[in-house]
Amino acid sequence: MDNTNFIMIFLDWLMSFDKIAIILAGSAIGAGLAMIAGIGPGIGQGYAAGKAAEATATNPDSSKQATMVMLLGAGIAETSGILSLVIALILLFGNPLISQPGDGLVIAVSAIGAGLAMIAGIGPGVGQGYAAGKGAEATSINPEGSRGSTLVMLLGSAVAQTSGIFSMVIALILMYANPLVNSHGSTIVVAASTLGAGIAMIAGIGPGIGQGYAAGKGTEAAGKRPKYQSSVIKTMILGQAVAQTTGIYALVISLVLMFANPLLKLL
Amino acid sequence: MDGGFGARIIFEIGGIPITETITNTWMIMIALVVFSWFATRNLQKVPKGLQNFIEAVVDGIYKLTEQTMGKDKVGFAPYIGTLMIYLIFANLSGLIGLRPPTADVNTTMGLALLTFVMIHFFGMKTKGVKNYLKGFLEPFWPMLPLNIVGELATPISLSFRLFGNIVGGLIIMSLLYGGLASLSSTLGISIPVFQAAIPAPLHLYFDVFAGVLQSFIFAMLTMVFVSIAMD
């Protein structure tokens, strides 16, 4: 029995390091994981740029306007990449975890969890990029309705950011105020709960892409029929709120794991 | 990075810490109040100069409110206008070296809670309390807990959207300034020359673009959420 439980061996091996060393190692992994979110803005902005090129060919007269709309949308699509960059930079340059009291392993896993949570940024990036592309397209088809369609694009994209924001909230809680750090349970359960809180947030990819799709279609609709802009916005936002549901499930599970963990009571 | 990225405490009044956020908010408030007072003295029938500009701003805000919320809810325009102007100035205050009050979650959460109260107050007022509460059982009653969580998520996403954007810019800019200062000191220049001009494009993105856009989005989402609750 002594050497067969590889998890215990692994944990013992981890425990053999300095507390600071293991926290720094976790932070390094977390910073790297956070940057995976860059996938989203990359895809999204590429799509937007492609649509803007297409828009230029469709209507060369409004090319400049379409490019501006595309750049505006692409600037928004960058947000989740920037939020991830901020989390990574905090872990690298202003790490709040180093000075925290508590179990080193749990604190290290908090950093990894924060990084994992930020992966959700893929969704908003892709979705907002889609909306930006549709904005450029709408401008080329109907330059006069460009103001309205751009407005719908901005609103839709802002809502599509929601799951990325939830992820950032969880990442900030994990880094600055993880309640599990001070809990007295079995280390492996507490550490795994922290990790789980981060993993749950990855679900945000879905709502991000979905809401971005809604934003894109709303933009297209508002461009075609400017008269119905306010009902388009209302339908779009209501639909996006429903699309947020799974992201909210993830947020709830993540918060439960951290603040009202039922598993710790079973120990 | 001693002290992290939070707002610094300037002084304390009777044990209550007064942070940069509060002092900067008051500075912006005083500037706006003084400006509005001077801008609205001696109003002429035929506007000229400053009055032209002020009228264009007020007109624009009323038009935007009417377009977004509908003709019957144009009464929200003064609140929306105040919100938008305050947020724009707050977000842009980073340009003159102040710490934007919106880089503090207390500010953004406070404003988002105002929106939250408005959504539910005006929802109840127009629909009646009973009808309004029935809306939480839609589309069928087991959805009740989720509907409640969904409503509570609104102020969280609203406040952290603004906070995240502004504080993100703040952190990246402060790291950049720190990096540029250490670069010039390693090259043996006692004055941090690299801090001139190089951060300008990033200020343009983080403070001007993100700042103005997020102010607009915050106000727009407030309008849309309130008008959806009322219809």
Coordinates of all heavy atoms in Angstrom, one line a residue, chain A residues 179-180 255-265:
Chain A
P179 N -11.7 32.0 -0.4 CA -12.1 31.5 0.9 C -11.6 30.2 1.3 O -11.5 29.8 2.4 CB -13.6 31.5 0.9 CG -14.0 31.4 -0.6 CD -12.9 32.0 -1.4
L180 N -11.3 29.4 0.2 CA -10.8 28.0 0.5 C -9.4 28.0 1.1 O -9.0 27.0 1.7 CB -10.8 27.2 -0.8 CG -12.2 26.9 -1.4 CD1 -12.1 26.2 -2.7 CD2 -13.0 26.1 -0.4
L255 N -19.0 29.5 -7.6 CA -19.2 30.2 -6.3 C -19.5 29.2 -5.2 O -19.0 29.3 -4.1 CB -20.3 31.3 -6.4 CG -19.9 32.5 -7.3 CD1 -21.1 33.4 -7.4 CD2 -18.8 33.3 -6.7
V256 N -20.4 28.2 -5.5 CA -20.7 27.2 -4.5 C -19.4 26.4 -4.1 O -19.2 26.2 -2.9 CB -21.7 26.2 -5.1 CG1 -21.8 24.9 -4.2 CG2 -23.1 26.9 -5.1
L257 N -18.6 26.1 -5.1 CA -17.4 25.4 -4.7 C -16.5 26.2 -3.8 O -15.8 25.6 -3.0 CB -16.6 25.0 -6.0 CG -17.0 23.8 -6.8 CD1 -16.3 23.7 -8.1 CD2 -16.7 22.6 -6.0
M258 N -16.5 27.5 -4.0 CA -15.6 28.3 -3.2 C -16.3 28.7 -1.8 O -15.6 28.7 -0.8 CB -15.2 29.6 -3.9 CG -14.2 29.3 -5.0 SD -13.4 30.8 -5.6 CE -14.7 31.5 -6.5
F259 N -17.5 29.1 -1.8 CA -18.1 29.7 -0.6 C -19.0 28.7 0.2 O -19.2 29.0 1.4 CB -18.9 31.0 -1.0 CG -18.0 32.1 -1.4 CD1 -17.7 32.3 -2.8 CD2 -17.4 32.9 -0.5 CE1 -16.9 33.3 -3.2 CE2 -16.6 33.9 -0.9 CZ -16.3 34.1 -2.2
A260 N -19.6 27.7 -0.5 CA -20.5 26.9 0.3 C -20.3 25.4 -0.2 O -21.2 24.7 -0.5 CB -21.9 27.3 0.0
N261 N -19.0 25.0 -0.1 CA -18.7 23.7 -0.7 C -19.3 22.6 0.1 O -19.0 22.4 1.3 CB -17.2 23.6 -0.7 CG -16.7 22.5 -1.6 OD1 -17.4 21.5 -1.7 ND2 -15.6 22.7 -2.3
P262 N -20.3 21.8 -0.5 CA -20.9 20.7 0.3 C -20.0 19.6 0.5 O -20.1 18.8 1.4 CB -22.1 20.3 -0.6 CG -21.7 20.8 -2.0 CD -20.8 21.9 -1.8
L263 N -18.9 19.5 -0.4 CA -18.0 18.3 -0.3 C -17.2 18.4 1.0 O -16.8 17.3 1.5 CB -17.1 18.3 -1.5 CG -17.8 18.2 -2.9 CD1 -16.9 18.3 -4.0 CD2 -18.6 16.8 -3.0
L264 N -16.9 19.6 1.4 CA -16.0 19.7 2.6 C -16.7 19.3 3.8 O -16.1 18.9 4.8 CB -15.5 21.2 2.7 CG -14.6 21.7 1.6 CD1 -14.2 23.1 1.9 CD2 -13.4 20.8 1.5
K265 N -18.1 19.3 3.8 CA -18.8 18.9 5.0 C -18.9 17.4 5.1 O -19.2 16.8 6.1 CB -20.2 19.5 4.9 CG -20.3 21.0 5.2 CD -21.6 21.6 5.0 CE -21.5 23.1 4.8 NZ -22.2 23.5 3.5

